[in-house]
Amino acid sequence: MNKKFVVNIGRQLGSGGKEIGEKLAARLGIDFYDKELITLASKESGLCREFFEKADERASQGIIGGLFGMRFPFVGDGALPTQNCLSNDALFKVQSDVIRQLASEKSCLFVGRCADYILREHPRCANIFISASHEARVARLCAMHHISEEEAENMMSKADKKRSEYYNYYSYKTWGAAATYHLCIDSSVLGIEKTIDFVEEFVRLKIK
């Protein structure tokens, strides 16, 4: 696998998708990007990191007096807003440019942020969606955050709603639907480590 390739991972909260992505990237010897994209987008644009954190995986809405009626107001001219107006669409455009730039330079793995759609024309990519059973997700979140089952279920509900709205809005596809990805896998069936084994083998076969 000496040619550049990308792996894009979508995930349900509590499915272990980030852990799977991190360990898979390490096994494949490629760079891993999740929250790091927020920092990179901030540096690239010169905009405050807080803007990107507020917009992170959220469908379009104005952050500071944003009054845009279009989905992608800056895609054509490549410009950033010069007035005190920022929309999630503008920030999505900046982050998309960062993702495309990274993918053009090297092999890497992206978690979330519509990377599979942004890189849909990349010649060597594998798009994966990680889910898990309701019980496994609740148990994982309770253990990670030391919260009650009710709190975990609330976290899951909010995260699934936010991620699906974001993905469906920007990609025109359906978050978590099998037809959207090359592979969908339930991490609670095999466990995290064996899921990584399975996904690694799939990726190697997909991009060879």
Side-chain angles (χ1 to χ4, degrees), residues 11-17 129-145 147-149 151-161 163 175 186-188 192:
R11 75 287 183 223
Q12 290 181 319
L13 184 71
S15 67
F129 189 84
I130 310 294
S131 64
S133 69
H134 182 87
E135 295 76 16
R137 294 171 67 194
V138 169
R140 183 179 179 86
L141 291 173
C142 287
M144 286 178 64
H145 301 290
I147 57 177
S148 68
E149 290 188 1
E151 289 172 311
E153 289 183 349
N154 286 336
M155 283 181 66
M156 285 162 46
S157 177
K158 289 178 181 178
D160 286 355
K161 183 175 186 293
R163 289 176 181 175
W175 182 78
D186 181 338
S187 63
S188 58
I192 297 297

Side-chain angles (χ1 to χ4, degrees), residues 129-202:
F129 189 84
I130 310 294
S131 64
S133 69
H134 182 87
E135 295 76 16
R137 294 171 67 194
V138 169
R140 183 179 179 86
L141 291 173
C142 287
M144 286 178 64
H145 301 290
H146 308 290
I147 57 177
S148 68
E149 290 188 1
E150 182 179 357
E151 289 172 311
E153 289 183 349
N154 286 336
M155 283 181 66
M156 285 162 46
S157 177
K158 289 178 181 178
D160 286 355
K161 183 175 186 293
K162 185 184 78 165
R163 289 176 181 175
S164 62
E165 287 178 350
Y166 173 87
Y167 186 88
N168 297 350
Y169 177 83
Y170 285 111
S171 73
Y172 302 92
K173 298 166 76 176
T174 304
W175 182 78
T180 300
Y181 309 90
H182 297 127
L183 173 70
C184 294
I185 186 167
D186 181 338
S187 63
S188 58
V189 174
L190 300 177
I192 297 297
E193 294 302 323
K194 290 191 180 299
T195 296
I196 297 168
D197 292 341
F198 188 95
V199 175
E200 180 186 8
E201 182 177 3
F202 176 86

Side-chain angles (χ1 to χ4, degrees), residues 8 15 18 102 138:
N8 303 305
S15 67
K18 180 179 179 181
L102 289 169
V138 169

Side-chain angles (χ1 to χ4, degrees), residues 42 77 80 89 92 124 134 137 172 205:
S42 175
D77 56 21
L80 289 171
D89 289 339
F92 178 81
R124 305 182 75 233
H134 182 87
R137 294 171 67 194
Y172 302 92
L205 290 170

